[in-house]
Amino acid sequence: MTDIEFAWSELGGDPALLARVSTVARRDTLPARLPVRELARASVGVCALAAAELGARRAGLAEVPRVRLDDGAVATAFASERHLLVDGRAPDTFAPLSRFWRTADGWVRTHANYPHHRERLLRALDLPEDPAAVEAALAERSALEVEETVYAAGGLAVAVRTPAEWAAHEQAAAIVRRPLVETERLDTARARVLPSLTGSPLLPAAGLRVLDLTRVIAGPVATRTLALLGADVLRLDAPGSAELPDQHADTGFGKRSATLDLAVGRRTFEELLAAADIVVTGYRPGALDRFGLSPEALAERRPGLVVAQLSAWGAYGPWAGRRGFDSLVQAATGIAAVEGSPERPGALPAQALDHGTGHLMAAAVLRALTEQSSEGYGRVVRLALARTAAWLTDGIEPGGAGLGDGLPQSWLAETDSPIGRLRYALPPVSFDGGPGDWARPPGPWGADPARWA
């Protein structure tokens, strides 16, 4: 079974539709020892096919539109945060304390891009904000000691493991027993009746409302994709939340961004939920439950809802409650060891776990909508970066790699926006008659009202 066949089967798609997909293969994209290009191509491919399928259903087309994949467009989009320019300025993607550190017996990877994570890391190590001091202190400790000490303080540090070491971990055993995309029915709601689509471009998600409760990359990539396809996407964050402006700009295309304190704005949230079709969350499993935002609680108040949940490590196993990011998952699951050298761990050529999982999540939402149109039922779909990592390391055939440089500029575009002149990566999701770009550029974080358009 090929990579895209596997991903499409995990989404419950009709295998006959795969004949509608064609690919322009470019061997000079996403160079890596692991088959990153194949993962990227497959995750974008199934997302585009799910979009074309839903679009055909809503427009009453006799055939599902043809999907066109181009490895160049996919590779450019998978590194979108690296291609972004804001008024000619390239963003900083990692803070000084977010990196690999040598320990007494190996390596750890830390994540300290957000101020609260940086403070917790330094507090756990009882150190000042001085990279040299951190380097000296970590060199005297074991990697697992650092991992547990920092985690206990609410910080983010993961020991770099080999694939064999990760395979022996309880969390790895829990992950591999799960499907790439988990789907459950939530209620007994009747079949969803979606308005028919007319005109051009074909926007499969037109008229649908998405509450975006996600952060960082994977979740926002999923909702950015749904916005491309016509959905009204409203991202909600708590007032005062730490946010990286450049990261928000990269993933904010097509959306609006508002802040809402659930403690005082509960009525506003319930009004938004009552008119929502999709809720996408990207917090640790169970973190939102106390606010009444578990899938079951949401579906009870809004029958027929599609809920998409993203986590780093999965909603199961001993690490279910741990925070995590793409770089940390790469370190823990053996990817950093495979992509590195005997002298130092390495990394994938893009945040492929984030972007791959984001496109898979958008695909899962689109397929849920298609199934709802005939079967009914609310649904919850769950994905995890670590499960995508298992697919990358075990489930895809490698296809070789080249230099990865010199990609044409045709997959980049420029636009004016409320936050400045932007250079950005164009969306890789493409099918006959579909949209070629987002309808609106990103605006400042939290600047929009908390209401539907």
Side-chain angles (χ1 to χ4, degrees):
M1 182 180 290
T2 66
D3 43 11
I4 193 169
E5 287 172 345
F6 170 73
W8 189 240
S9 69
E10 290 286 284
L11 290 163
D14 179 358
L17 293 182
L18 290 168
R20 308 297 293 171
V21 181
S22 61
T23 303
V24 177
R26 301 179 190 274
R27 296 179 62 85
D28 61 346
T29 57
L30 297 174
R33 293 191 177 99
L34 291 167
V36 180
R37 181 175 63 252
E38 287 72 19
L39 178 145
R41 182 193 296 159
S43 58
V44 171
V46 295
C47 183
L49 187 56
E53 177 190 32
L54 178 61
R57 175 73 61 91
R58 295 188 63 185
L61 303 180
E63 285 189 312
V64 170
R66 292 191 176 277
V67 168
R68 303 182 305 277
L69 294 173
D70 191 308
D71 283 349
V74 171
T76 303
F78 263 55
S80 61
E81 63 274 12
R82 302 179 190 181
H83 292 293
L84 179 71
L85 294 178
V86 182
D87 289 330
R89 175 187 57 82
D92 294 325
T93 54
F94 284 98
L97 297 184
S98 296
R99 48 168 276 199
F100 290 110
W101 305 88
R102 188 181 290 279
T103 64
D105 61 350
W107 294 84
V108 294
R109 176 91 194 210
T110 57
H111 194 287
N113 285 3
Y114 289 99
H116 58 292
H117 292 151
R118 181 177 65 250
E119 292 165 5
R120 292 169 186 172
L121 172 68
L122 294 171
R123 185 170 65 247
L125 301 175
D126 193 22
L127 292 171
E129 191 173 341
D130 177 6
V134 174
E135 185 171 31
L138 294 186
E140 297 177 353
R141 302 191 185 196
S142 74
L144 290 179
E145 177 194 357
V146 174
E147 178 180 276
E148 291 304 319
T149 299
V150 174
Y151 167 69
L156 293 159
V158 169
V160 175
R161 292 168 170 83
T162 65
E165 289 170 338
W166 177 244
H169 197 281
E170 287 183 59
Q171 189 63 28
I175 286 167
V176 297
R177 290 194 294 265
R178 301 287 181 137
L180 181 64
V181 180
E182 297 185 60
T183 304
E184 293 180 21
R185 290 181 174 180
L186 285 176
D187 54 34
T188 58
R190 294 181 179 179
R192 181 187 293 272
V193 179
L194 296 173
S196 298
L197 295 179
T198 59
S200 180
L202 179 62
L203 299 173
L208 298 174
R209 290 169 168 168
V210 180
L211 275 180
D212 179 1
L213 310 181
T214 70
R215 306 193 67 190
V216 196
I217 297 178
V221 163
T223 52
R224 180 179 71 181
T225 303
L226 295 174
L228 169 74
L229 299 171
D232 178 9
V233 179
L234 178 63
R235 174 169 161 171
L236 290 180
D237 290 280
S241 298
E243 183 53 285
L244 306 177
D246 292 334
Q247 189 168 266
H248 178 73
D250 176 54
T251 59
F253 282 86
K255 311 179 196 177
R256 292 175 298 113
S257 170
T259 59
L260 183 66
D261 185 343
L262 288 179
V264 297
R266 191 68 195 203
R267 180 175 178 179
T268 298
F269 180 83
E270 294 301 325
E271 290 172 351
L272 291 170
L273 176 63
D277 301 286
I278 301 151
V279 175
V280 185
T281 69
Y283 293 79
R284 287 175 297 135
L288 298 178
D289 291 4
R290 70 182 187 275
F291 299 109
L293 302 181
S294 69
E296 295 76 15
L298 290 168
E300 184 176 346
R301 306 199 301 278
R302 177 66 163 122
L305 193 68
V306 174
V307 181
Q309 290 187 308
L310 169 76
S311 64
W313 306 105
Y316 35 76
W319 282 17
R322 294 202 176 194
R323 298 173 177 86
F325 295 95
D326 183 307
S327 59
L328 300 180
V329 176
Q330 288 189 41
T333 59
I335 292 172
V338 171
E339 294 294 336
S341 67
E343 292 76 32
R344 185 179 180 82
L348 299 175
Q351 300 281 92
L353 305 182
D354 270 332
H355 287 270
T357 307
H359 282 93
L360 288 171
M361 175 168 277
V365 168
L366 295 165
R367 288 247 59 250
L369 292 167
T370 297
E371 292 176 351
Q372 277 189 332
S373 66
S374 58
E375 300 172 9
Y377 297 96
R379 282 169 169 76
V380 56
V381 298
R382 297 186 179 93
L383 294 95
L385 301 183
R387 183 60 185 86
T388 303
W391 181 37
L392 174 66
T393 54
D394 296 328
I396 308 178
E397 291 295 324
L403 297 176
D405 295 324
L407 289 175
Q409 295 295 306
S410 59
W411 298 304
L412 299 173
E414 292 193 11
T415 186
D416 291 317
S417 80
I419 56 178
R421 182 73 177 173
L422 302 180
R423 187 193 75 175
Y424 63 100
L426 288 166
V429 172
S430 177
F431 55 91
D432 287 350
D437 202 349
W438 289 277
R440 55 180 288 162
W445 178 83
D448 295 299
R451 62 172 180 260
W452 295 116

